[in-house]
Amino acid sequence: MTSSDGRKSLPEAWPALASAALRVAFGIIWIVGAALTWLPGFASHYVGYLHNAAHGQPDGSAWWFGMWLALVTPHAGLFVWLTRLAVTALGVALLLGFARKYAYVLGALFSLLIWSTAEGFGGPYTVGAANMGTAISYVLIFVALIIIDYRAGPSPYSVDCLIERRWPGWRQVAEWSHAAGTRPAEHLSWRVQVPVLAGIALLVLLLLAGLHSALNVQSPSPVAAAAAVSPLSLASSEPIAQARDARLPPLTPGNSVDVNIAVSDQTVEIASGVQYQAWTFGKSVPGPVIHVRQGQAVNVVLSNHGSMQHSIDFHAAITPPSLHYVDIMPGESIRFSFVAKVPGAFLYHCGTPPVLLHIANGMYGAIIVDPATPLPPAAESYVLVQGEWYTQQVAGKLMAGNYEKMQEMHPDEVVFNGAAFQYRDHPLTARPGDLVRIYMVNAGPSLWSAFHVIGAIFDKVYLGGDPAQAISGVSTWSVGPGEGAVFDLRLDEAGKYPFVDHAMAHMVLGAQGVLKVSAPGGEAAAAPPISKAPASETAATPPPAAPAGPYQFDPARGAALYASNCVACHQATGLGLPGAFPPLKDNAAVLNPDPAKQLGVILHGLHGEAINGTSYPSVMPPFAATLSDADIADIANHERTSWGNQAKPVTADQVQAARGK
């Protein structure tokens, strides 16, 4: 119906009015979201949102998050700017009604991407947390706008309408329908209804499939995003520039020792290139090593230059805590003395409640008390203080403490002398036959340590204050939180001897180093004496025989070969083992039409190469000596055609050519 002046009546005009009202309201929401993306906090936690959504995902969708993490993490700054520009452009387009046809489609696709990455399949969702709100709802709103615009035709309440009056061709990017007005309602045929119902069914299936992540993925808040990023995931592949000097400092002569310790807030390096906002004794974590002799008086001056109250507690002292281990405020100092009556390796730490927080934030160190009757002289003496870091991301590669992780005893790093892997990359040294003494103190605050030197048995382990009660013949000894022990060992053969916390999960998180034993100016060791074993001793279950004649890929045989040779490390899903072996699904070398890289790795092995910015420490063994050309071709083709990979198959002739290289 049309009025006498030619204008549409309300029943005819409502679709255009409804579309414009919904579009403008939705545009305001997007503009608010765009404003949030320009705040520093958005950039700080950008990668954290991806990590947060990746936690708790089922195996079937883990590959999706792994792909985005590998893509975004090395280029976080670029993606932050792309997101800002995309959200801002969509918000402006919605408010003004500009290029509505493409704006709605791109907005729906962008919202769907955010739903499946920053929020995770199935949620959970928190409005505004990822600056997108409930992204799947945004998809539905964009679909509703598309349907209304299609029914209503050109909108008079948009910039598009003004542009179309001058350039009618603009309708190609602005309108879904070129009709001037609405079409009368009509019964929809099954040809229309069936696709709609199928789409609804697909949406329901996606929501049901997302129940697992809905129950496990934390809400994408800044707090959850910050906690989801670990320092080891941000660490550089390059070694830490300089390791802490682990050598035992010399004794101070005389009957007393003055110990002046200043408390301060410092940023310390806890992994290569990764910093932590720590509370420190003496500007380092751990604090300075204090070395005294049994019977010496220790005169302590503790000065608080930090931002909150602190204290100090010496496990080597017999002294009233109510007098000496008291809290002091910023700007205050405390003086007290005690006599080091008992020899051994002891912890000192901050005792201000909550003690868990103060120790975990770095407030600990070692005090070594030599017995009055000295131990046998050692050529090298080292002090290792084991500690734990519980982190959340502040911004970029700067971390701070996470008290919830501390309470759950869920560390991101377990370290010797404050930084992960520093003595793996910068080994401690000794000479063959020399006595090496290691003073090991476990600062905790919560985890036990099973201290072990691989390839060695300790000559002596001094457990407490009586050197006469030392035990021998020990390979691994447990040191509880707050405890210390002294380990003597003598290594006659040159080589590299790793020292570790034998709780393997702790070792993976950074509690490992190397004791390099070599003659002055000499190498640590000659080549390992490895030789080929007789074929009869290494015979394994033979793979299914390759068919006679020219090579043809047999999928069943390829799957069997992959299962017997590769599945333990790269998994049946092709997703690999995070932090150990890389994924083969969507792996660039596997998808490359030129198979040279993939075949070279299978034939000759690989170690130490970063893949998509991630370093995998485990060694890929070579299979050139144990598998035929047809075997390796079948494995390669299984990888190239499984888990959604679609790459050009290889031939046995290509394997033969790669074998020669």
Side-chain angles (χ1 to χ4, degrees):
M1 181 184 298
T2 305
S3 63
S4 58
D5 61 0
R7 291 179 296 178
K8 294 179 181 178
S9 65
L10 183 60
E12 292 178 320
W14 79 263
L17 288 169
S19 175
L22 178 60
R23 170 175 52 76
V24 171
F26 197 33
I28 292 172
I29 295 174
W30 273 76
I31 289 295
V32 172
L36 294 175
T37 66
W38 293 93
L39 297 178
F42 176 77
S44 298
H45 299 299
Y46 191 87
V47 176
Y49 291 127
L50 299 182
H51 279 275
N52 181 70
H55 290 175
Q57 292 296 332
D59 291 340
S61 59
W63 66 270
W64 173 255
F65 297 90
M67 177 190 72
W68 281 103
L69 284 171
L71 180 64
V72 171
T73 301
H75 313 291
L78 171 64
F79 280 89
V80 165
W81 279 98
L82 289 176
T83 302
R84 286 169 169 168
L85 294 174
V87 177
T88 303
L90 284 168
V92 171
L94 286 167
L95 271 180
L96 300 181
F98 179 78
R100 302 189 321 281
K101 179 178 179 180
Y102 287 110
Y104 295 166
V105 172
L106 293 175
L109 293 175
F110 187 74
S111 301
L112 192 62
L113 178 64
I114 296 297
W115 171 62
S116 65
T117 53
E119 295 186 343
F121 291 115
Y125 309 114
T126 298
V127 174
N131 304 309
M132 284 295 298
T134 308
I136 193 64
S137 299
Y138 284 15
V139 176
L140 299 177
I141 294 173
F142 277 116
V143 171
L145 286 170
I146 291 171
I147 293 173
I148 295 173
D149 265 22
Y150 182 83
R151 298 286 298 171
S155 171
Y157 313 101
S158 65
V159 170
D160 287 334
C161 183
L162 300 177
I163 298 175
E164 289 169 20
R165 291 176 183 175
R166 189 175 183 92
W167 296 291
W170 183 254
R171 288 188 176 184
Q172 299 296 326
V173 297
E175 310 294 348
W176 289 90
S177 171
H178 297 168
T182 60
R183 295 192 292 267
E186 58 184 2
H187 177 73
L188 297 177
S189 68
W190 282 106
R191 193 169 67 180
V192 176
Q193 292 188 59
V194 167
V196 173
L197 293 174
I200 295 173
L202 178 61
L203 177 61
V204 171
L205 287 175
L206 286 172
L207 293 174
L208 291 176
L211 285 177
H212 183 279
S213 57
L215 296 174
N216 292 279
V217 177
Q218 293 191 48
S219 187
S221 64
V223 173
V229 180
S230 75
L232 294 182
S233 71
L234 298 175
S236 168
S237 57
E238 297 296 319
I240 196 168
Q242 184 174 1
R244 178 189 172 109
D245 188 353
R247 290 172 295 183
L248 178 70
L251 285 167
T252 299
N255 294 324
S256 65
V257 177
D258 294 332
V259 175
N260 297 292
I261 299 179
V263 173
S264 61
D265 301 341
Q266 300 289 330
T267 299
V268 299
E269 190 171 22
I270 63 173
S272 181
V274 181
Q275 307 295 319
Y276 184 95
Q277 294 176 333
W279 301 337
T280 73
F281 290 121
K283 298 184 178 181
S284 65
V285 178
V289 175
I290 301 169
H291 188 193
V292 301
R293 188 183 67 255
Q294 184 180 11
Q296 278 186 316
V298 182
N299 305 316
V300 178
V301 178
L302 179 71
S303 303
N304 188 353
H305 302 314
S307 57
M308 63 180 300
Q309 59 190 24
H310 293 293
S311 62
I312 196 164
D313 175 338
F314 286 96
H315 285 204
I318 302 173
T319 189
S322 58
L323 293 180
H324 300 152
Y325 297 169
V326 296
D327 296 344
I328 58 173
M329 299 299 292
E332 294 181 341
S333 297
I334 186 171
R335 298 171 180 266
F336 63 90
S337 299
F338 66 90
V339 176
K341 298 179 179 180
V342 181
F346 298 98
L347 175 70
Y348 69 84
H349 64 87
C350 180
T352 300
V355 182
L356 170 64
L357 177 64
H358 285 250
I359 296 178
N361 263 349
M363 303 198 74
Y364 58 83
I367 175 170
I368 309 302
V369 182
D370 282 0
T373 301
L375 297 176
E380 299 288 351
S381 294
Y382 295 110
V383 180
L384 299 176
V385 184
Q386 182 167 320
E388 302 142 24
W389 290 115
Y390 303 82
T391 70
Q392 59 184 336
Q393 186 184 35
V394 176
K397 293 189 175 185
L398 178 63
M399 315 298 284
N402 185 308
Y403 193 60
E404 183 177 355
K405 289 183 181 179
M406 297 174 193
Q407 292 176 308
E408 295 174 351
M409 294 191 290
H410 186 257
D412 294 296
E413 288 187 356
V414 181
V415 299
F416 292 127
N417 289 350
F421 305 116
Q422 60 178 323
Y423 300 121
R424 180 196 65 186
D425 301 322
H426 301 279
L428 306 181
T429 59
R431 293 181 297 181
D434 280 350
L435 180 64
V436 178
R437 181 164 294 138
I438 298 175
Y439 297 87
M440 196 282 188
V441 173
N442 183 7
S446 299
L447 302 180
W448 285 68
S449 175
F451 189 65
H452 174 67
V453 178
I454 299 174
I457 294 179
F458 299 116
D459 290 2
K460 297 284 185 181
V461 179
Y462 301 93
L463 306 179
D466 186 354
Q469 293 182 344
I471 60 176
S472 59
V474 175
S475 70
T476 303
W477 189 260
S478 294
V479 183
E483 289 185 341
V486 184
F487 298 85
D488 279 2
L489 69 160
R490 196 183 305 270
L491 301 166
D492 296 327
E493 294 187 56
K496 294 181 179 179
Y497 297 81
F499 55 87
V500 300
D501 180 346
H502 211 285
M504 291 292 103
H506 301 171
M507 186 185 76
V508 170
L509 293 177
Q512 58 175 281
V514 171
L515 178 61
K516 181 180 178 182
V517 178
S518 61
E523 292 298 321
I530 299 173
S531 61
K532 295 291 184 183
S536 59
E537 296 180 12
T538 59
T541 302
Y551 171 77
Q552 281 191 317
F553 172 46
D554 182 345
R557 185 170 182 274
L561 285 163
Y562 178 84
S564 60
N565 293 282
C566 314
V567 77
C569 299
H570 295 290
Q571 302 296 291
T573 58
L575 297 176
L577 294 174
F581 291 96
L584 299 174
K585 178 177 175 56
D586 298 322
N587 186 299
V590 176
L591 297 177
N592 196 325
D594 181 359
K597 177 73 172 180
Q598 180 193 14
L599 297 180
V601 171
I602 299 173
L603 284 164
H604 308 300
L606 185 66
H607 179 230
E609 181 174 310
I611 299 173
N612 294 329
T614 301
S615 213
Y616 296 91
S618 299
V619 178
M620 164 76 180
F623 289 100
T626 57
L627 296 177
S628 69
D629 294 343
D631 294 341
I632 290 176
D634 276 347
I635 290 175
N637 286 328
H638 175 76
E639 296 171 357
R640 295 170 84 83
T641 58
S642 299
W643 320 299
N645 289 347
Q646 296 181 356
K648 182 181 178 182
V650 304
T651 67
D653 290 340
Q654 288 174 296
V655 177
Q656 185 180 40
R659 188 186 294 271
K661 295 179 182 179

